[in-house]
Amino acid sequence: MSGWSIADMPDQRGRRIVVTGANSGLGEQTARALGRAGADVVLACRNVEKAQRVADEIGANATVAALDLADLGSVRAFADGFEGADVLVNNAGVMALPLGRTADGFEMQIGTNFLGHFALTGLILDRIGDRVVTLSSLAHNVARLDIDDLNWERRKYNRWVAYGDSKIADLMMALELADRLRQAGSSTVSLAAHPGYAATELQTRTESPIDWVMKLGNMTPLAQSASDGALPTLYAATAPDAANGTFYGPGSLGGMRGAPAVAGYRSVADDPAVRGRLWATAEELTGVSYGV
């Protein structure tokens, strides 16, 4: 894995890969790289017009499908028309927004980043032939996950903690799914990835003065490009030796930049009791139960 780059990515011809939120940022760069490698790429996005412009630039091997992860009705509609793929990349997300609610009443960040992807994965898992890759973040380290109040109905809202909550929940989902797939003897695997500090549009949509701070940060040497930030995702999605239940991220500067490497994470994500409670709560909230 040392020094892994896009040049090391295997030929993806004959493989179909779904990337959520592929109309911009990390998702766009992931989709473009996979398309260049020959994959049939499905850009599953809320903004289908923007996604179509990206798909047109990728070429005939890219298609667009409507998917709004903040609306379980949209998630179910996508799943109903889904014909199968080799890989699902759970990439889409929102970050540090003011308190808002999804169409189903979930807090917007936990609802979009975690519950939407939890429902999507559960609904189409039987049609994913190879692997599921779910994006987490270094921000999982600031989480104060309260499984009894995932939707911030009792706590005083903190946009950054809420974002961290959604990202540690994504990581727990990926790790728990990996265990369940292993125990079921499935050939499908589950992995997680994070981009380190990658300069994307996501950091400038908090609708607060922090947008300007993030814009300045994105111009420093600390930040890497979105294409470099996509490398851990691409490794997890394509490398033959990417292992079930492994978390990948940049290997330098404390995980903020560099080539993909195995990433560390908070020990709570390995607590089976906590993961089990989160899983059961997600099933209850979304109405989606997994077959593993």
Side-chain angles (χ1 to χ4, degrees), residues 116-163:
H117 279 127
F118 181 91
L120 172 67
T121 304
L123 289 168
I124 67 173
L125 184 61
D126 61 342
R127 287 160 281 170
I128 299 297
D130 183 15
R131 61 188 82 179
V132 178
V133 179
T134 302
L135 265 70
S136 182
S137 167
L138 286 173
H140 86 275
N141 288 298
V142 306
R144 297 200 297 268
L145 189 67
D146 184 343
I147 296 173
D148 295 322
D149 190 26
L150 279 183
N151 289 306
W152 293 81
E153 294 166 328
R154 294 186 295 276
R155 291 179 287 171
K156 182 179 179 180
Y157 186 70
N158 181 307
R159 66 176 73 198
W160 286 104
V161 173
Y163 179 65

Side-chain angles (χ1 to χ4, degrees), residues 14 45 62 156 199 236 238-239 259 267:
C45 303
K156 182 179 179 180
T238 67
S267 59

Side-chain angles (χ1 to χ4, degrees), residues 27-126:
E28 176 184 347
Q29 295 304 317
T30 299
R32 287 182 182 277
L34 292 168
R36 287 194 297 270
D40 292 325
V41 186
V42 179
L43 288 73
C45 303
R46 179 181 60 83
N47 189 332
V48 293
E49 292 182 3
K50 193 171 182 180
Q52 190 60 59
R53 290 195 291 271
V54 175
D56 289 343
E57 292 175 5
I58 293 173
N61 57 326
T63 57
V64 173
L67 174 64
D68 183 354
L69 289 158
D71 183 347
L72 291 181
S74 175
V75 174
R76 290 185 179 278
F78 176 89
D80 287 345
F82 184 66
E83 297 181 353
D86 297 283
V87 182
L88 167 64
V89 179
N90 287 323
N91 163 86
V94 293
M95 186 177 79
L97 297 178
L99 179 60
R101 301 288 172 187
T102 69
D104 304 279
F106 306 141
E107 186 274 319
M108 185 61 73
Q109 297 187 84
I110 201 80
T112 303
N113 300 355
F114 170 55
L115 292 171
H117 279 127
F118 181 91
L120 172 67
T121 304
L123 289 168
I124 67 173
L125 184 61
D126 61 342

